Coordinates of all heavy atoms in Angstrom, one line a residue:
M1 N -73.0 41.0 289.2 CA -73.0 39.7 288.6 C -72.7 39.8 287.1 O -73.4 40.6 286.4 CB -74.4 39.1 288.8 CG -74.4 37.6 289.0 SD -76.1 37.0 289.4 CE -75.7 35.9 290.6
P2 N -71.8 39.1 286.6 CA -71.4 39.2 285.1 C -72.6 38.7 284.3 O -73.4 37.8 284.6 CB -70.3 38.2 285.0 CG -69.7 38.0 286.3 CD -70.8 38.2 287.3
K3 N -72.7 39.4 283.1 CA -73.8 39.1 282.1 C -73.1 38.5 280.9 O -72.2 39.0 280.4 CB -74.5 40.4 281.7 CG -75.5 40.9 282.7 CD -76.4 42.0 282.0 CE -77.2 42.7 283.0 NZ -77.9 41.9 284.0
V4 N -73.7 37.4 280.5 CA -73.2 36.7 279.3 C -74.3 36.9 278.2 O -75.4 36.4 278.4 CB -72.9 35.2 279.5 CG1 -72.5 34.5 278.2 CG2 -71.9 35.0 280.6
T5 N -73.9 37.5 277.1 CA -74.9 37.7 276.0 C -74.4 36.8 274.9 O -73.3 36.9 274.4 CB -75.0 39.2 275.5 OG1 -75.4 40.0 276.6 CG2 -75.9 39.3 274.4
I6 N -75.3 35.9 274.4 CA -75.0 35.1 273.3 C -75.9 35.6 272.1 O -77.1 35.4 272.1 CB -75.4 33.6 273.5 CG1 -74.6 33.1 274.8 CG2 -75.0 32.7 272.3 CD1 -75.0 31.7 275.3
T7 N -75.2 36.4 271.2 CA -76.0 37.1 270.2 C -76.7 36.0 269.3 O -77.8 36.3 268.8 CB -75.1 38.0 269.4 OG1 -74.1 37.3 268.8 CG2 -74.6 39.1 270.2
T8 N -76.1 34.9 269.0 CA -76.6 33.9 268.2 C -78.0 33.5 268.7 O -78.9 33.2 267.9 CB -75.7 32.6 268.1 OG1 -74.4 33.1 267.9 CG2 -76.1 31.7 267.0
D9 N -78.2 33.4 270.0 CA -79.4 33.0 270.5 C -80.3 34.1 271.1 O -81.4 33.9 271.6 CB -79.1 32.0 271.7 CG -78.4 30.8 271.3 OD1 -78.7 30.3 270.2 OD2 -77.5 30.4 272.0
K10 N -79.8 35.4 270.9 CA -80.5 36.5 271.4 C -80.9 36.3 272.9 O -82.0 36.4 273.3 CB -81.8 36.8 270.6 CG -81.6 37.1 269.2 CD -82.9 37.4 268.4 CE -82.7 37.9 267.0 NZ -81.9 37.0 266.2
L11 N -79.8 35.9 273.6 CA -80.0 35.5 275.0 C -79.0 36.2 275.9 O -77.8 36.3 275.5 CB -79.8 34.0 275.1 CG -80.0 33.2 276.4 CD1 -81.5 33.2 276.8 CD2 -79.5 31.8 276.2
T12 N -79.4 36.7 277.1 CA -78.5 37.3 278.0 C -78.8 36.6 279.4 O -79.9 36.5 279.8 CB -78.7 38.8 278.2 OG1 -78.4 39.4 276.9 CG2 -77.7 39.4 279.2
L13 N -77.7 36.1 280.0 CA -77.8 35.4 281.3 C -76.9 36.0 282.3 O -75.8 36.4 282.0 CB -77.4 33.9 281.0 CG -78.3 33.1 280.0 CD1 -77.5 31.8 279.7 CD2 -79.6 32.8 280.6
D14 N -77.4 36.0 283.5 CA -76.5 36.4 284.7 C -75.8 35.2 285.2 O -76.5 34.2 285.4 CB -77.4 37.0 285.8 CG -77.9 38.4 285.4 OD1 -77.2 39.2 284.8 OD2 -79.1 38.6 285.6
V15 N -74.5 35.3 285.5 CA -73.8 34.2 286.0 C -72.9 34.6 287.2 O -72.6 35.8 287.3 CB -72.9 33.5 285.0 CG1 -73.7 32.9 283.8 CG2 -71.8 34.4 284.5
K16 N -72.6 33.7 288.0 CA -71.7 34.0 289.2 C -70.3 34.3 288.6 O -69.8 33.6 287.7 CB -71.6 32.8 290.1 CG -72.8 32.8 291.1 CD -72.7 31.7 292.1 CE -73.3 30.4 291.6 NZ -73.3 29.3 292.3
D17 N -69.5 35.1 289.3 CA -68.1 35.4 288.9 C -67.4 34.0 289.0 O -67.4 33.3 289.9 CB -67.5 36.4 289.9 CG -66.1 36.8 289.5 OD1 -65.8 36.7 288.3 OD2 -65.3 37.1 290.4
G18 N -66.6 33.8 287.9 CA -65.8 32.6 287.9 C -66.6 31.3 287.3 O -66.0 30.2 287.3
Y19 N -67.8 31.6 286.9 CA -68.6 30.5 286.4 C -68.1 30.0 285.0 O -67.7 30.8 284.2 CB -70.1 30.9 286.3 CG -71.1 29.8 286.5 CD1 -71.1 29.0 287.6 CD2 -72.0 29.5 285.5 CE1 -72.0 28.0 287.8 CE2 -72.9 28.5 285.6 CZ -72.9 27.7 286.8 OH -73.8 26.7 286.9
A20 N -68.1 28.7 284.8 CA -67.7 28.1 283.6 C -68.7 28.2 282.5 O -69.9 27.9 282.8 CB -67.3 26.7 283.8
L21 N -68.3 28.7 281.3 CA -69.3 28.8 280.2 C -70.0 27.5 279.9 O -71.2 27.4 279.6 CB -68.6 29.3 278.9 CG -68.6 30.8 278.7 CD1 -67.9 31.0 277.3 CD2 -70.0 31.4 278.7
I22 N -69.2 26.4 280.0 CA -69.8 25.1 279.7 C -70.9 24.7 280.7 O -71.9 24.2 280.3 CB -68.7 24.0 279.7 CG1 -69.3 22.7 279.1 CG2 -68.1 23.8 281.0 CD1 -68.2 21.7 278.7
D23 N -70.8 25.1 282.0 CA -71.8 24.8 283.0 C -73.0 25.7 282.7 O -74.2 25.2 282.8 CB -71.3 25.1 284.4 CG -70.2 24.1 284.8 OD1 -70.2 23.0 284.2 OD2 -69.4 24.5 285.7
M24 N -72.8 26.9 282.3 CA -73.9 27.8 282.0 C -74.7 27.2 280.8 O -76.0 27.2 280.8 CB -73.4 29.2 281.6 CG -74.5 30.2 281.4 SD -73.8 31.6 280.4 CE -73.9 30.9 278.8
C25 N -74.0 26.7 279.8 CA -74.7 26.2 278.6 C -75.4 24.9 278.9 O -76.4 24.6 278.2 CB -73.6 26.0 277.5 SG -73.0 27.5 276.8
E26 N -74.9 24.2 279.9 CA -75.6 22.9 280.2 C -77.0 23.2 280.9 O -77.9 22.5 280.9 CB -74.8 22.0 281.1 CG -73.8 21.2 280.3 CD -72.8 20.4 281.1 OE1 -72.9 20.5 282.3 OE2 -72.1 19.7 280.5
E27 N -77.0 24.4 281.6 CA -78.2 24.7 282.3 C -79.2 25.5 281.5 O -80.4 25.7 281.9 CB -77.8 25.6 283.5 CG -77.1 24.8 284.6 CD -76.4 25.7 285.6 OE1 -76.7 26.9 285.6 OE2 -75.6 25.1 286.3
H28 N -78.8 26.0 280.3 CA -79.7 26.8 279.4 C -79.6 26.2 278.0 O -78.6 25.6 277.6 CB -79.3 28.2 279.5 CG -79.4 28.8 280.9 ND1 -80.6 29.3 281.4 CD2 -78.5 28.9 281.8 CE1 -80.3 29.7 282.7 NE2 -79.1 29.5 282.9
D29 N -80.6 26.5 277.3 CA -80.6 26.1 275.9 C -79.9 27.1 275.0 O -80.4 28.1 274.7 CB -82.1 26.0 275.5 CG -82.2 25.1 274.2 OD1 -81.3 24.4 273.9 OD2 -83.3 25.3 273.5
T30 N -78.7 26.7 274.6 CA -77.9 27.7 273.8 C -77.4 26.9 272.5 O -77.5 25.7 272.4 CB -76.6 28.2 274.5 OG1 -75.6 27.2 274.5 CG2 -76.9 28.6 275.9
S31 N -76.9 27.7 271.6 CA -76.4 27.1 270.3 C -75.0 26.6 270.4 O -74.5 26.1 269.4 CB -76.5 28.1 269.2 OG -77.8 28.6 269.0
I32 N -74.4 26.9 271.5 CA -72.9 26.5 271.6 C -72.9 25.0 271.9 O -73.5 24.4 272.8 CB -72.2 27.2 272.8 CG1 -72.4 28.7 272.6 CG2 -70.8 26.8 272.9 CD1 -71.9 29.5 273.8
L33 N -72.2 24.3 271.0 CA -72.2 22.8 271.1 C -70.9 22.4 271.7 O -69.8 23.1 271.6 CB -72.2 22.2 269.6 CG -73.5 22.6 268.8 CD1 -73.3 22.0 267.4 CD2 -74.7 22.1 269.5
F34 N -70.9 21.3 272.4 CA -69.7 20.7 273.1 C -69.5 19.3 272.6 O -70.4 18.6 272.4 CB -69.8 20.8 274.6 CG -69.9 22.2 275.1 CD1 -71.1 22.9 275.2 CD2 -68.7 22.9 275.4 CE1 -71.2 24.2 275.7 CE2 -68.8 24.2 275.8 CZ -70.0 24.9 276.0
G35 N -68.2 18.9 272.5 CA -67.9 17.6 272.2 C -67.0 17.0 273.3 O -67.5 16.5 274.3
C36 N -65.7 17.1 273.1 CA -64.7 16.5 274.0 C -64.8 17.2 275.4 O -64.4 16.5 276.4 CB -63.3 16.7 273.5 SG -62.8 18.4 273.4
R37 N -65.2 18.4 275.5 CA -65.2 19.2 276.8 C -63.8 19.4 277.3 O -63.7 19.7 278.5 CB -66.1 18.5 277.8 CG -67.5 18.1 277.3 CD -68.1 17.1 278.2 NE -68.4 17.6 279.5 CZ -69.6 18.2 279.7 NH1 -70.5 18.3 278.8 NH2 -69.8 18.7 280.9
D38 N -62.8 19.2 276.5 CA -61.5 19.2 277.1 C -60.5 20.0 276.2 O -59.3 19.8 276.2 CB -61.0 17.8 277.2 CG -59.7 17.7 278.1 OD1 -59.6 18.6 279.0 OD2 -58.9 16.8 277.9
G39 N -61.0 20.9 275.3 CA -60.2 21.7 274.5 C -59.5 21.0 273.3 O -58.5 21.5 272.8
A40 N -60.0 19.9 272.9 CA -59.3 19.1 271.9 C -60.1 18.9 270.6 O -59.5 18.4 269.6 CB -59.0 17.7 272.5
C41 N -61.4 19.3 270.5 CA -62.2 19.0 269.3 C -62.6 20.2 268.5 O -62.8 20.1 267.3 CB -63.4 18.1 269.6 SG -64.7 19.0 270.4
G42 N -62.7 21.3 269.2 CA -63.1 22.6 268.5 C -64.6 22.8 268.3 O -65.0 23.8 267.7
A43 N -65.4 21.8 268.8 CA -66.9 21.9 268.6 C -67.4 23.2 269.2 O -68.4 23.8 268.8 CB -67.5 20.7 269.1
C44 N -66.8 23.6 270.3 CA -67.4 24.7 271.1 C -66.8 26.1 270.8 O -66.9 27.0 271.6 CB -67.1 24.4 272.6 SG -65.3 24.5 272.9
M45 N -66.2 26.2 269.6 CA -65.5 27.5 269.3 C -66.6 28.7 269.2 O -67.6 28.6 268.6 CB -64.8 27.4 267.9 CG -63.7 28.5 267.8 SD -62.7 28.4 266.3 CE -62.0 26.8 266.5
I46 N -66.2 29.7 269.9 CA -67.0 30.9 269.9 C -66.2 32.1 269.5 O -65.0 32.1 269.5 CB -67.6 31.2 271.3 CG1 -66.4 31.2 272.4 CG2 -68.6 30.2 271.7 CD1 -66.8 31.8 273.7
R47 N -66.9 33.2 269.1 CA -66.2 34.4 268.7 C -66.6 35.4 269.8 O -67.8 35.6 270.1 CB -66.7 34.9 267.4 CG -65.9 36.1 266.8 CD -66.3 36.4 265.4 NE -65.8 35.4 264.5 CZ -66.6 34.6 263.7 NH1 -67.9 34.8 263.7 NH2 -66.1 33.7 263.0
V48 N -65.6 36.1 270.4 CA -65.9 37.0 271.5 C -66.1 38.4 270.8 O -65.1 39.0 270.3 CB -64.8 37.0 272.5 CG1 -65.1 38.0 273.7 CG2 -64.5 35.6 273.0
I49 N -67.3 39.0 270.9 CA -67.5 40.3 270.3 C -67.1 41.4 271.3 O -66.7 42.4 270.8 CB -69.1 40.4 270.0 CG1 -69.4 39.3 269.0 CG2 -69.4 41.7 269.4 CD1 -70.9 39.0 268.9
D50 N -67.3 41.2 272.5 CA -67.1 42.2 273.5 C -66.7 41.6 274.9 O -67.2 40.5 275.2 CB -68.3 43.0 273.7 CG -68.0 44.5 274.0 OD1 -66.9 44.8 274.1 OD2 -69.0 45.2 274.2
G51 N -65.7 42.2 275.6 CA -65.4 41.7 276.9 C -64.4 40.6 277.0 O -64.4 39.9 278.0
A52 N -63.5 40.5 276.0 CA -62.6 39.3 275.9 C -61.8 39.3 277.2 O -61.4 38.2 277.7 CB -61.7 39.4 274.7
S53 N -61.4 40.4 277.8 CA -60.6 40.4 279.0 C -61.3 40.0 280.2 O -60.7 39.8 281.3 CB -60.0 41.8 279.2 OG -61.0 42.7 279.4
N54 N -62.6 39.8 280.1 CA -63.4 39.3 281.2 C -63.5 37.8 281.2 O -64.2 37.2 282.1 CB -64.8 39.9 281.2 CG -64.8 41.4 281.5 OD1 -64.0 41.8 282.3 ND2 -65.8 42.1 281.0
L55 N -62.9 37.1 280.3 CA -62.8 35.7 280.3 C -61.5 35.2 280.9 O -60.5 36.0 280.9 CB -62.9 35.1 278.9 CG -64.3 35.2 278.2 CD1 -64.2 34.8 276.8 CD2 -65.3 34.3 279.0
S56 N -61.5 34.0 281.4 CA -60.2 33.5 282.0 C -59.1 33.5 280.9 O -59.5 33.3 279.7 CB -60.4 32.1 282.5 OG -61.1 31.3 281.6
P57 N -57.9 33.8 281.3 CA -56.8 33.9 280.3 C -56.6 32.5 279.6 O -56.9 31.5 280.1 CB -55.6 34.2 281.1 CG -56.1 34.6 282.4 CD -57.4 34.1 282.6
M58 N -56.2 32.6 278.3 CA -56.0 31.4 277.5 C -54.8 30.7 278.0 O -53.7 31.3 278.2 CB -55.8 31.9 276.1 CG -56.1 30.9 275.1 SD -55.8 31.5 273.4 CE -57.2 32.6 273.1
Q59 N -54.9 29.4 278.2 CA -53.8 28.5 278.6 C -53.1 28.1 277.3 O -53.6 28.1 276.2 CB -54.2 27.3 279.4 CG -55.0 27.7 280.6 CD -54.2 28.5 281.6 OE1 -53.1 28.1 282.0 NE2 -54.7 29.7 282.0
E60 N -51.9 27.6 277.4 CA -51.1 27.1 276.3 C -51.8 26.1 275.4 O -51.7 26.2 274.2 CB -49.7 26.5 276.8 CG -48.7 27.6 277.2 CD -48.4 28.6 276.1 OE1 -48.2 28.2 274.9 OE2 -48.4 29.8 276.4
D61 N -52.4 25.2 276.0 CA -53.1 24.1 275.2 C -54.2 24.7 274.3 O -54.3 24.4 273.1 CB -53.8 23.1 276.1 CG -52.7 22.1 276.7 OD1 -51.5 22.2 276.3 OD2 -53.1 21.3 277.6
E62 N -55.0 25.6 274.8 CA -56.0 26.3 274.0 C -55.4 27.1 272.9 O -55.9 27.1 271.8 CB -56.9 27.1 274.9 CG -58.1 27.8 274.2 CD -58.9 28.7 275.0 OE1 -58.7 28.9 276.2 OE2 -59.9 29.3 274.4
K63 N -54.3 27.8 273.3 CA -53.7 28.7 272.3 C -53.1 27.8 271.2 O -53.3 28.2 270.0 CB -52.5 29.4 273.0 CG -52.0 30.6 272.4 CD -51.0 31.3 273.3 CE -50.5 32.6 272.8 NZ -49.6 33.2 273.7
D64 N -52.5 26.8 271.5 CA -51.9 25.9 270.5 C -53.0 25.3 269.6 O -52.9 25.3 268.4 CB -51.1 24.7 271.1 CG -49.9 25.2 271.8 OD1 -49.5 26.3 271.6 OD2 -49.3 24.4 272.6
F65 N -54.1 24.9 270.2 CA -55.2 24.3 269.4 C -55.8 25.4 268.4 O -56.0 25.1 267.3 CB -56.3 23.8 270.3 CG -57.4 23.1 269.6 CD1 -57.3 21.8 269.2 CD2 -58.6 23.8 269.2 CE1 -58.4 21.2 268.5 CE2 -59.6 23.2 268.5 CZ -59.5 21.9 268.2
L66 N -56.0 26.6 269.0 CA -56.6 27.6 268.1 C -55.7 28.0 267.0 O -56.1 28.3 265.9 CB -57.0 28.8 269.0 CG -58.2 28.6 269.9 CD1 -58.3 29.8 270.9 CD2 -59.5 28.4 269.1
E67 N -54.4 28.0 267.2 CA -53.4 28.3 266.2 C -53.5 27.2 265.1 O -53.5 27.5 263.9 CB -52.0 28.3 266.8 CG -51.6 29.7 267.2 CD -50.3 29.8 267.9 OE1 -49.4 28.9 267.6 OE2 -50.1 30.7 268.7
T68 N -53.6 26.0 265.5 CA -53.7 24.8 264.6 C -55.0 25.0 263.7 O -55.0 24.6 262.5 CB -53.8 23.5 265.3 OG1 -52.6 23.4 266.2 CG2 -53.7 22.3 264.4
M69 N -56.0 25.5 264.3 CA -57.3 25.6 263.6 C -57.3 26.9 262.8 O -58.4 27.2 262.2 CB -58.5 25.7 264.6 CG -58.6 24.4 265.4 SD -59.3 23.1 264.5 CE -61.0 23.6 264.3
A70 N -56.3 27.7 262.8 CA -56.2 29.0 262.1 C -57.4 29.9 262.6 O -58.0 30.5 261.8 CB -56.2 28.8 260.6
A71 N -57.6 29.9 263.9 CA -58.7 30.7 264.4 C -58.4 32.1 264.4 O -57.2 32.5 264.3 CB -59.0 30.2 265.9
E72 N -59.4 33.0 264.4 CA -59.3 34.4 264.5 C -58.8 34.8 265.9 O -59.1 34.0 266.8 CB -60.6 35.1 264.1 CG -61.0 34.9 262.6 CD -62.4 35.3 262.4 OE1 -63.0 36.1 263.1 OE2 -63.0 34.7 261.4
P73 N -58.2 36.0 266.0 CA -57.7 36.4 267.4 C -58.8 36.4 268.4 O -58.5 36.3 269.6 CB -57.1 37.7 267.1 CG -56.9 37.8 265.7 CD -57.8 36.9 265.0
N74 N -60.0 36.7 268.0 CA -61.1 36.8 269.0 C -61.9 35.5 269.2 O -63.0 35.5 269.8 CB -62.1 38.0 268.6 CG -62.8 37.7 267.3 OD1 -62.4 36.8 266.5 ND2 -63.8 38.5 267.0
E75 N -61.4 34.4 268.7 CA -62.1 33.2 268.9 C -61.5 32.4 270.1 O -60.3 32.5 270.4 CB -62.0 32.3 267.7 CG -62.9 32.9 266.6 CD -62.9 32.0 265.3 OE1 -61.9 31.7 264.8 OE2 -64.0 31.6 264.9
R76 N -62.4 31.7 270.9 CA -62.0 30.9 272.0 C -62.7 29.6 272.0 O -63.7 29.5 271.3 CB -62.4 31.7 273.3 CG -61.7 33.0 273.6 CD -60.3 32.9 274.1 NE -60.1 32.0 275.2 CZ -60.0 32.3 276.5 NH1 -60.0 33.6 276.9 NH2 -59.7 31.4 277.4
L77 N -62.3 28.7 272.9 CA -63.0 27.5 273.1 C -63.8 27.7 274.3 O -63.3 27.8 275.4 CB -62.0 26.3 273.3 CG -61.1 26.0 272.1 CD1 -60.0 25.0 272.4 CD2 -61.9 25.6 270.9
A78 N -65.2 27.6 274.1 CA -66.1 27.8 275.3 C -65.8 26.9 276.4 O -66.0 27.3 277.6 CB -67.5 27.7 274.8
C79 N -65.4 25.7 276.1 CA -65.2 24.7 277.2 C -64.0 25.1 278.1 O -63.9 24.5 279.2 CB -65.1 23.3 276.7 SG -63.5 23.0 275.8
Q80 N -63.2 26.0 277.7 CA -62.0 26.4 278.5 C -62.2 27.7 279.2 O -61.3 28.2 279.8 CB -60.8 26.5 277.5 CG -60.5 25.2 276.8 CD -60.2 24.0 277.8 OE1 -59.3 24.1 278.5 NE2 -61.0 23.0 277.7
C81 N -63.4 28.3 279.0 CA -63.6 29.7 279.5 C -64.4 29.8 280.8 O -65.5 29.2 280.9 CB -64.3 30.5 278.4 SG -63.3 30.8 276.9
K82 N -63.9 30.6 281.7 CA -64.7 31.0 282.9 C -65.0 32.5 282.7 O -64.2 33.3 282.2 CB -63.9 30.7 284.1 CG -63.8 29.2 284.4 CD -63.2 28.9 285.7 CE -63.3 27.4 285.9 NZ -62.3 26.9 286.8
V83 N -66.1 32.9 283.3 CA -66.6 34.3 283.1 C -66.3 35.1 284.4 O -66.6 34.7 285.5 CB -68.1 34.3 282.9 CG1 -68.6 35.7 282.6 CG2 -68.4 33.4 281.7
H84 N -65.6 36.3 284.1 CA -65.3 37.2 285.3 C -65.9 38.6 285.1 O -65.5 39.5 285.8 CB -63.8 37.2 285.4 CG -63.2 35.9 285.8 ND1 -63.4 35.3 287.1 CD2 -62.5 35.0 285.1 CE1 -62.7 34.2 287.1 NE2 -62.2 33.9 286.0
G85 N -66.7 38.8 284.1 CA -67.3 40.1 283.8 C -68.2 39.9 282.6 O -68.3 38.9 282.0
D86 N -68.8 41.1 282.2 CA -69.7 41.0 281.1 C -69.0 40.6 279.8 O -67.9 41.2 279.5 CB -70.4 42.4 280.9 CG -71.2 42.8 282.1 OD1 -71.4 42.0 283.0 OD2 -71.8 43.9 282.0
I87 N -69.6 39.7 279.1 CA -69.1 39.4 277.8 C -70.2 39.3 276.8 O -71.4 39.0 277.1 CB -68.3 38.0 277.8 CG1 -69.2 36.9 278.3 CG2 -67.1 38.1 278.6 CD1 -68.7 35.5 278.0
K88 N -69.9 39.4 275.5 CA -70.8 39.2 274.4 C -70.1 38.3 273.4 O -69.0 38.5 273.0 CB -71.1 40.6 273.7 CG -72.3 40.5 272.8 CD -72.6 41.8 272.1 CE -73.2 42.8 273.0 NZ -73.6 44.0 272.2
I89 N -70.8 37.2 273.1 CA -70.2 36.1 272.3 C -71.2 35.7 271.2 O -72.4 35.9 271.3 CB -69.7 34.9 273.1 CG1 -70.9 34.3 273.9 CG2 -68.6 35.3 274.1 CD1 -70.6 33.1 274.7
E90 N -70.6 35.0 270.2 CA -71.5 34.4 269.2 C -70.9 33.0 268.8 O -69.6 32.8 269.1 CB -71.7 35.2 268.0 CG -70.4 35.5 267.2 CD -70.6 36.4 266.0 OE1 -71.7 37.0 265.8 OE2 -69.7 36.5 265.2
V91 N -71.6 32.2 268.3 CA -71.1 30.9 267.8 C -70.3 31.2 266.6 O -70.7 31.9 265.7 CB -72.2 29.9 267.5 CG1 -71.7 28.6 267.0 CG2 -73.0 29.6 268.8
S92 N -69.1 30.6 266.5 CA -68.2 30.8 265.3 C -68.9 30.0 264.1 O -69.5 29.0 264.3 CB -66.8 30.3 265.6 OG -66.2 31.1 266.4
D93 N -68.6 30.5 262.9 CA -69.1 29.8 261.7 C -68.5 28.5 261.6 O -67.3 28.3 261.8 CB -68.8 30.6 260.5 CG -69.1 32.1 260.7 OD1 -70.2 32.4 261.1 OD2 -68.2 32.9 260.3
Ligands
FES101 S1 -65.8 20.8 273.6 FE1 -64.1 20.1 272.4 S2 -62.8 21.8 272.4 FE2 -64.4 22.5 273.6

C-alpha cells in the first residue's frame, strides 16, 4: 500500500494504489488547500520531495499551468495527482 508523507503536517498515511490526493486530503486534516479542484487556481500546489515518479504523469493542462506560475520542476498540483507508490510531499510556499 503506498505511503503518503506530508512533511508540513508531520503526517504519513497509507492509501490505495491509484487513490487521488484530493480525496485523501478530504478524509484527513492536512495543510494542502484546494480551490477550483480542477487545475486552474494553483491553491493546491505541492512540492514533491521524494517519489515523483510514483504520482500520475502530468497532463498538458497541468504542465501549462505550472509553467505559467513559474513553478519549480518538483512542484505539482495536488488536485491533479493520483498516488501509485510512496511519496513525500510538502506544501509549496
Ligand atoms: S485546487 Fe485549483 S489547481 Fe488544484
Side-chain angles (χ1 to χ4, degrees):
M1 214 175 221
K3 282 192 190 315
V4 177
T5 300
I6 306 174
T7 58
T8 314
D9 298 320
K10 298 181 175 54
L11 183 69
T12 299
L13 298 165
D14 290 317
V15 298
K16 279 184 267 177
D17 185 26
Y19 208 57
L21 267 185
I22 191 167
D23 292 337
M24 185 199 82
C25 291
E26 278 177 354
E27 289 165 13
H28 301 275
D29 196 20
T30 79
S31 301
I32 303 172
L33 302 175
F34 294 91
C36 68
R37 311 162 66 90
D38 197 29
C41 74
C44 66
M45 202 176 298
I46 53 169
R47 189 172 292 118
V48 184
I49 300 164
D50 213 1
S53 61
N54 289 330
L55 287 172
S56 48
M58 205 182 284
Q59 304 297 308
E60 281 305 313
D61 285 351
E62 183 184 358
K63 202 172 181 179
D64 290 348
F65 183 85
L66 289 170
E67 268 175 28
T68 306
M69 297 287 285
E72 294 166 22
N74 62 345
E75 288 184 304
R76 295 285 309 260
L77 296 174
C79 69
Q80 303 299 299
C81 292
K82 290 188 174 154
V83 183
H84 295 289
D86 293 0
I87 58 164
K88 192 183 283 186
I89 58 178
E90 65 182 7
V91 176
S92 289
D93 316 310

